[in-house]
């Protein structure tokens, strides 16, 4: 199964739950400038427009190589991909996709059919699902990504269809 539609990334803070640390954890996180992604992991959200299919993927980074790997594994070539202006998405059109992006920094969030509002709203499900886990392990991020995908799918579909879809997606990843 391969999705087509909107792609967005979300940085989720993850910890060292279940692992011993050499240095004790600092409370409050200290002062950091900018996005401070050192304790956060990028989760990519792929949403198929016109359906309620959403897939969350935890990746090691958000470089253009990682984005290319995610798209080549899960999005059919030649399909339309909507993204925001994140620098990792600059090579999408060179990979064989019809690429449209929205420039959030200019205050533009939707121009007709060009938007990533569906993926950004589904990112809320990811954060809400992980909120109740109270300390998600960095090493189990892929499990939590697939669990969130199944949770969103169960919310939108019947149990049998959701389980079949999840097994199909995991089969393509493994």
């Amino acid at each position: 199964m391969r999705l087509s539609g909107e792609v967005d990334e979300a940085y989720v803070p993850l910890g060292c739950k279940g692992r011993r640390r050499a240095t004790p954890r600092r409370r409050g996180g200290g002062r950091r400038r900018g996005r401070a992604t050192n304790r956060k992991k990028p989760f990519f959200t792929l949403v198929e427009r016109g359906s309620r299919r959403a897939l969350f993927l935890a990746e090691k980074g958000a470089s253009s190589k990682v984005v290319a790997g995610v798209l080549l594994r899960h999005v059919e070539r030649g399909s339309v991909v909507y993204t925001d202006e994140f620098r990792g998405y600059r090579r999408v059109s060179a990979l064989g996709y019809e690429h449209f992006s929205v420039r959030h920094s200019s205050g533009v969030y939707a121009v007709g059919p060009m938007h990533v509002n569906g993926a950004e709203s589904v990112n809320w499900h990811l954060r809400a699902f992980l909120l109740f886990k109270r300390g998600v392990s960095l090493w189990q991020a892929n499990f939590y990504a697939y669990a969130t995908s199944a949770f969103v799918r169960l919310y939108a579909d019947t149990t049998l269809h959701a389980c079949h879809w999840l097994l199909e997606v995991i089969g393509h990843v493994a």
Side-chain angles (χ1 to χ4, degrees):
M1 177 166 94
R2 297 168 69 81
L3 297 171
S4 62
E6 302 175 18
V7 179
D8 194 29
E9 81 287 341
Y11 283 88
V12 177
L14 300 176
C16 297
K17 188 173 185 179
R19 299 279 176 129
R20 293 203 179 261
R21 295 175 56 121
T23 59
R25 185 175 71 173
R26 286 178 44 190
R27 299 280 179 186
R31 292 183 57 148
R32 292 183 196 93
R33 303 184 106 194
R35 275 176 24 166
T37 60
N38 57 350
R39 288 187 357 202
K40 296 179 182 177
K41 189 167 187 110
F43 281 77
F44 286 93
T45 305
L46 298 124
V47 175
E48 186 171 5
R49 284 193 174 178
S51 73
R52 293 185 176 187
R53 292 182 180 175
L55 178 64
F56 298 100
L57 300 168
E59 295 293 331
K60 61 183 179 219
S63 67
S64 59
K65 286 184 180 181
V66 173
V67 170
V70 166
L71 290 176
L72 291 173
R73 281 193 317 254
H74 296 285
V75 180
E76 292 182 31
R77 285 187 186 238
S79 61
V80 179
V81 176
Y82 298 96
T83 65
D84 54 11
E85 62 182 334
F86 179 63
R87 68 178 179 269
Y89 300 131
R90 291 182 184 157
R91 290 182 23 188
V92 172
S93 59
L95 295 171
Y97 301 104
E98 192 173 347
H99 180 227
F100 296 104
S101 64
V102 177
R103 187 174 296 264
H104 292 320
S105 64
S106 300
V108 177
Y109 295 95
V111 179
M114 290 188 347
H115 61 81
V116 289
N117 297 337
E120 289 176 359
S121 67
V122 171
N123 280 342
W124 177 85
H125 291 290
L126 175 69
R127 293 182 190 278
F129 185 77
L130 296 178
L131 174 71
F132 295 106
K133 305 305 176 253
R134 297 182 54 197
V136 175
S137 172
L138 181 66
W139 296 275
Q140 296 294 325
N142 287 328
F143 168 75
Y144 288 112
Y146 291 128
T148 309
S149 298
F151 173 74
V152 170
R153 187 63 187 222
L154 283 169
Y155 178 74
D157 209 349
T158 63
T159 306
L160 183 62
H161 288 111
C163 292
H164 177 62
W165 175 80
L166 185 63
L167 290 173
E168 189 177 331
V169 168
I170 290 173
H172 280 292
V173 172

